[in-house]
Amino acid sequence: MRFKLSYEIRDKYLRKDMLPTIFCPGCGIGTVLQYTLRAIDELGWSKDEVVWVSGIGCSSRVPGFVDFDGLHTTHGRALAFATGIKMARPDLKVIAFMGDGDTAAIGGNHFIHAIRRNLDVTVILINNFTYGMTGGQVAPTTLKGLRGTTAPYGSFENPFDIAELAVAAGANYVARWTVFNYIQGINSIKKALQKKGFSLVEFLSPCPISFGRRNRMKTAPELIKWYNKITVPISKAKNMSPEELEGKIVIGEFVDRDRPSLDEEYEAYKKRAKKMMGWEE
Amino acid sequence: MKYPFPVGKSDFIQGDEAIARAAILAGCRFYAGYPITPASEIFEAMALYMPLVDGVCIQMEDELASIAAIIGASWVGAKAMTATSGPGFSLMMENLGYAIMTETPIVVVDVQRSGPSTGQPTLAAQGDVMQAIWGTHGDHSLIVLTPATVQEAFDMTIRAFNLAEKYRTPVILLTDAEVGHMREKVDIPNPEDIELVYRKLPANEEEAKYPFGDIHGDLIPPMPIFGKGYRTYVTGLTHDEKGRPKTVDAEIHRKLIERIVNKIEKNKKDIIDYETFELDDAEVAIISYGIVARSAVRAVKMLRNEGIKAGLLKLNVVWPFDFEMIEKIAEQVHAIYVPEMNLGQLYHLVKEGANGKARVELIPKIGGEVHTPHEIVREVKKCECGV
């Protein structure tokens, strides 16, 4: 396949009248957006068959920049809205573009239940360890000891591992990369998009302005170096002790399975109902 | 089309059941809910019927998710409903505001119980009037219907869907545990005799470019539903006519919010619905809604027998509110009584409408029991005759 230049992707998929984006210098959201659009492009999907949903925060602005049907909703509720979209129109493909606070804090309950139901949606998750848009408060993903405006002396809480949480709740496909894992990132999104049922691709994404600045990593390159230091490939992590893994973040493909999705289950349920009522054989 | 309940004949059913059947006849094909007394029977009936009519019925993780899901379903073209009671309704406020801001047609049923908080789950109250009208933050308007009988619960559910579709707005069906749980005879019409309204869709690509613009001059933009190739962007942020976020432009915000409010306010005459009883020559008026209005009818008869010229205004819609009509009534009578199952909610609107032209007295009752006609008569007589 010919490698498409960025401006081709931009011209094909972005709403020009919405540009420039609101993203700060060094932010990783645009990169992940590019990966997602490249994945859609490589799959040859039409812009008319995909709906984008988001909650609140920096990452939630993405549906506004792309030329697709899009619902920019309330904080944390993207997957609840997506449930209505997908179940009322199972033929549409749904992408939820979410942030870490969106997913794991205010939306934590919607997140685990959407996975439990195996809602056929692909979550592209921007995890920058912080609440960027509101000015750098700590998130449920903030690693212990890192600073935010609401934990000026360093976070004292245990963070969530969102990918592990998704695996435990029953997702069909879960992968985690940093925004610098270009090929793996795009491939994982492609896999996730094609997967029936719940799929999640989490990206550790730099936020130099709100997060890095408060943690002695003022620029994207400094955050890249930090990600290199703290991430461990899943194959390597398998042979590491819990002590060695302390403070590290595992990256790679966590799960790839094919449990029936919610809309498939509901189709069967409708048939069962009609049969039980004697409406159908 | 085959229905999982009798149509074209009458049936003896609960108010909650009537709401579920009416919703299906109104074309509702997406229901998301979370169990709560005294609204659960709506959900249970929907769970029974929906798969049979190829609709979706899903139990969400909470009320926030329930209303979110129906908004999502509405944007892909489904007529969608959820039902709850006061505590759940409180949780829905965030996304109710979102539905108002994004002009999404949905129906939300609130089968009222007392509060605040969990209150009395199995007993009736009318304490959610202000929450229904003003519960979500910001300047807004929406439509609130108040049935008093099981038949009205049925008829108003169909009307709720029609108004939601016509005005591209959330409609609240504000009923209570008494109406929800009582059984009465309901005439269920033949589906072909029911007049149904469907949202205005964009006539062409050009119209679809303005999902939030007043392109027809009627304040209601056509709704370019998802999946039709229009590629519409919808946000709860202040947005321009094309739907693009414009959060710091005062003029754009004013224009958007005024249109959302005015599409209801300027169509008040079409939306407002009421009944009067012995009001023409009345010297005192009772203004009531929902279950209490039924006691008020009897109270009017009893007061007339005792020589007090009483009349009743029964409101079937509590928002939008016809302040001018209340003022006209206040000019005719010397006192207005507002019996309510709360410590005064509609009372404030009536008092504002009366504009000092007549004395306005609240007849409150809380604890779960409906006012008896005698109680209303006693309070009126206490004020009118000093007994």
Side-chain angles (χ1 to χ4, degrees):
Chain A
M1 178 176 281
R2 182 179 76 90
F3 179 80
K4 274 199 181 158
L5 295 165
S6 290
Y7 72 82
E8 289 179 69
I9 298 292
R10 182 195 68 197
D11 290 351
K12 188 168 175 189
Y13 293 105
L14 296 192
R15 293 180 202 268
K16 284 190 204 71
D17 60 348
M18 292 284 286
L19 299 177
T21 68
I22 58 152
F23 306 130
C24 306
C27 171
I29 296 173
T31 309
V32 177
L33 173 59
Q34 191 201 140
Y35 296 173
T36 311
L37 292 174
R38 282 188 184 278
I40 290 173
D41 194 64
E42 286 182 23
L43 291 171
W45 284 7
S46 143
K47 291 195 277 186
D48 297 339
E49 60 179 335
V50 186
V51 178
W52 294 55
V53 193
S54 66
I56 295 281
C58 302
S59 58
S60 77
R61 293 301 194 92
V62 158
F65 300 123
V66 296
D67 187 25
F68 291 78
D69 283 322
L71 209 56
H72 173 216
T73 70
T74 43
H75 199 187
R77 322 282 175 225
L79 289 171
F81 283 86
T83 308
I85 292 169
K86 185 69 199 181
M87 293 306 283
R89 275 288 302 275
D91 57 313
L92 293 174
K93 302 170 195 301
V94 183
I95 295 174
F97 214 96
M98 299 167 71
D100 46 57
D102 229 9
T103 308
I106 190 166
N109 204 31
H110 306 307
F111 182 67
I112 57 173
H113 286 280
I115 300 175
R116 173 183 62 81
R117 294 185 186 106
N118 209 5
L119 181 70
D120 184 23
V121 56
T122 296
V123 172
I124 307 292
L125 173 64
I126 299 290
N127 182 357
N128 54 18
F129 307 106
T130 192
Y131 283 71
M133 192 170 261
T134 44
Q137 295 83 6
V138 286
T141 46
T142 309
L143 303 179
K144 255 189 192 169
L146 289 178
R147 278 182 238 174
T149 55
T150 46
Y153 312 110
S155 175
F156 53 90
E157 295 181 24
N158 296 320
F160 256 138
D161 184 324
I162 298 179
E164 290 284 8
L165 182 69
V167 173
N172 264 357
Y173 181 79
V174 177
R176 174 163 54 208
W177 305 105
T178 76
V179 293
F180 314 108
N181 298 112
Y182 186 93
I183 300 296
Q184 297 99 319
I186 295 175
N187 283 341
S188 266
I189 296 174
K190 266 168 79 177
K191 247 181 168 173
L193 289 174
Q194 291 176 91
K195 177 71 71 181
K196 270 301 277 180
F198 195 96
S199 53
L200 166 76
V201 188
E202 176 182 353
F203 285 94
L204 307 183
S205 175
C207 174
I209 303 295
S210 282
F211 171 75
R213 192 158 52 96
R214 295 192 170 81
N215 288 287
R216 292 179 190 167
M217 294 175 283
K218 278 186 196 163
T219 61
E222 285 171 276
L223 281 158
I224 298 173
K225 280 184 202 142
W226 180 60
Y227 286 149
N228 274 338
K229 214 165 75 186
I230 63 165
T231 54
V232 181
I234 195 163
S235 52
K236 198 175 160 196
K238 273 176 190 146
N239 303 317
M240 286 168 72
S241 68
E243 292 74 36
E244 287 172 308
L245 282 170
E246 185 70 37
K248 302 274 185 204
I249 296 176
V250 178
I251 55 169
E253 212 172 61
F254 287 68
V255 72
D256 183 356
R257 57 194 167 197
D258 292 295
R259 294 169 170 173
S261 70
L262 180 65
D263 51 309
E264 291 170 327
E265 298 273 24
Y266 194 77
E267 269 311 303
Y269 179 75
K270 281 196 288 191
K271 283 201 177 75
R272 186 157 85 228
K274 286 175 189 170
K275 205 172 155 193
M276 284 171 78
M277 288 296 285
W279 283 30
E280 276 176 13
E281 277 307 299
Chain B
M1 148 129 217
K2 193 172 168 186
Y3 290 94
F5 47 79
V7 291
K9 54 170 104 170
S10 56
D11 205 349
F12 187 67
I13 50 172
Q14 277 193 336
D16 280 355
E17 171 87 32
I19 290 166
R21 292 189 190 183
I24 285 175
L25 289 169
C28 175
R29 289 296 177 272
F30 189 91
Y31 183 94
Y34 191 76
I36 187 168
T37 304
S40 291
E41 289 86 349
I42 298 173
F43 193 173
E44 285 161 4
M46 284 305 225
L48 206 55
Y49 299 150
M50 274 301 205
L52 302 172
V53 296
D54 286 315
V56 176
C57 180
I58 185 165
Q59 182 165 329
M60 298 300 290
E61 53 275 18
D62 55 32
E63 287 86 349
L64 298 84
S66 302
I67 184 168
I70 68 168
I71 295 169
S74 186
W75 271 101
V76 290
K79 287 189 181 184
M81 180 172 94
T82 186
T84 187
S85 188
F89 194 45
S90 297
L91 293 178
M92 290 183 182
M93 284 305 140
E94 176 196 35
N95 285 335
L96 185 65
Y98 182 84
I100 292 168
M101 190 62 150
T102 56
E103 302 179 69
T104 310
I106 51 165
V107 173
V108 178
V109 186
D110 175 10
V111 189
Q112 296 168 95
R113 63 198 235 187
S114 85
S117 190
T118 8
Q120 296 172 292
T122 60
L123 301 177
Q126 294 181 319
D128 301 359
V129 177
M130 281 301 169
Q131 179 172 229
I133 301 171
W134 296 123
T136 196
H137 63 279
D139 299 290
H140 61 268
S141 191
L142 76 177
I143 298 171
V144 185
L145 310 180
T146 46
T149 66
V150 176
Q151 182 72 54
E152 283 183 1
F154 181 90
D155 297 340
M156 285 190 199
T157 302
I158 292 173
R159 184 156 194 254
F161 277 98
N162 285 347
L163 289 170
E165 294 284 315
K166 184 171 181 183
Y167 292 107
R168 237 187 102 176
T169 189
V171 176
I172 314 295
L173 186 75
L174 189 66
T175 178
D176 64 84
E178 210 64 56
V179 174
H181 281 166
M182 80 162 76
R183 278 173 198 279
E184 287 186 303
K185 187 186 141 194
V186 180
D187 291 323
I188 301 173
N190 274 311
E192 54 272 22
D193 297 332
I194 300 172
E195 202 186 315
L196 295 184
V197 177
Y198 295 91
R199 67 194 68 172
K200 192 164 60 182
L201 301 172
N204 49 49
E205 294 260 345
E206 192 51 33
E207 279 195 17
K209 282 183 193 157
Y210 300 92
F212 303 95
D214 183 18
I215 52 175
H216 291 162
D218 60 355
L219 304 172
I220 309 153
M223 185 171 172
I225 57 172
F226 290 179
K228 299 277 183 199
Y230 292 132
R231 302 200 290 273
T232 306
Y233 176 56
V234 180
T235 176
L237 290 169
T238 292
H239 44 271
D240 65 9
E241 297 181 334
K242 290 187 168 178
R244 296 172 299 198
K246 291 277 166 7
T247 56
V248 290
D249 189 319
E251 183 55 18
I252 285 177
H253 184 76
R254 185 192 61 75
K255 216 174 139 191
L256 172 69
I257 301 302
E258 283 189 358
R259 184 177 58 70
I260 287 175
V261 171
N262 282 338
K263 73 177 177 182
I264 307 293
E265 286 300 313
K266 297 229 156 132
N267 288 296
K268 250 162 109 166
K269 291 282 175 265
D270 177 50
I271 300 165
I272 284 170
D273 180 36
Y274 59 87
E275 289 156 65
T276 60
F277 179 67
E278 303 273 9
L279 194 62
D280 290 346
D281 66 337
E283 288 165 3
V284 296
I286 297 173
I287 297 181
S288 194
Y289 59 97
I291 189 71
V292 180
R294 299 174 72 167
S295 289
V297 172
R298 179 84 186 154
V300 166
K301 284 182 194 163
M302 290 163 71
L303 286 164
R304 288 253 168 190
N305 283 341
E306 298 201 30
I308 295 172
K309 279 190 159 180
L312 170 71
L313 173 71
K314 170 181 175 286
L315 298 176
N316 295 332
V317 176
V318 295
W319 197 265
F321 195 75
D322 198 340
F323 292 100
E324 301 79 18
M325 177 176 66
I326 304 294
E327 186 164 0
K328 263 187 209 144
I329 292 171
E331 280 165 359
Q332 178 199 323
V333 301
H334 65 264
I336 297 173
Y337 295 88
V338 186
E340 281 187 281
M341 292 175 75
N342 58 53
L343 295 181
Q345 296 204 9
L346 187 80
Y347 164 73
H348 294 292
L349 298 175
V350 172
K351 204 163 175 177
E352 191 183 334
N355 204 12
K357 305 277 168 62
R359 186 160 49 83
V360 180
E361 301 282 349
L362 171 70
I363 306 179
K365 186 170 183 183
I366 56 172
E369 284 176 5
V370 184
H371 297 64
T372 65
H374 286 281
E375 283 169 340
I376 298 172
V377 168
R378 194 177 63 217
E379 290 304 312
V380 173
K381 276 171 73 183
K382 207 193 280 175
C383 288
E384 295 299 315
C385 322
V387 289

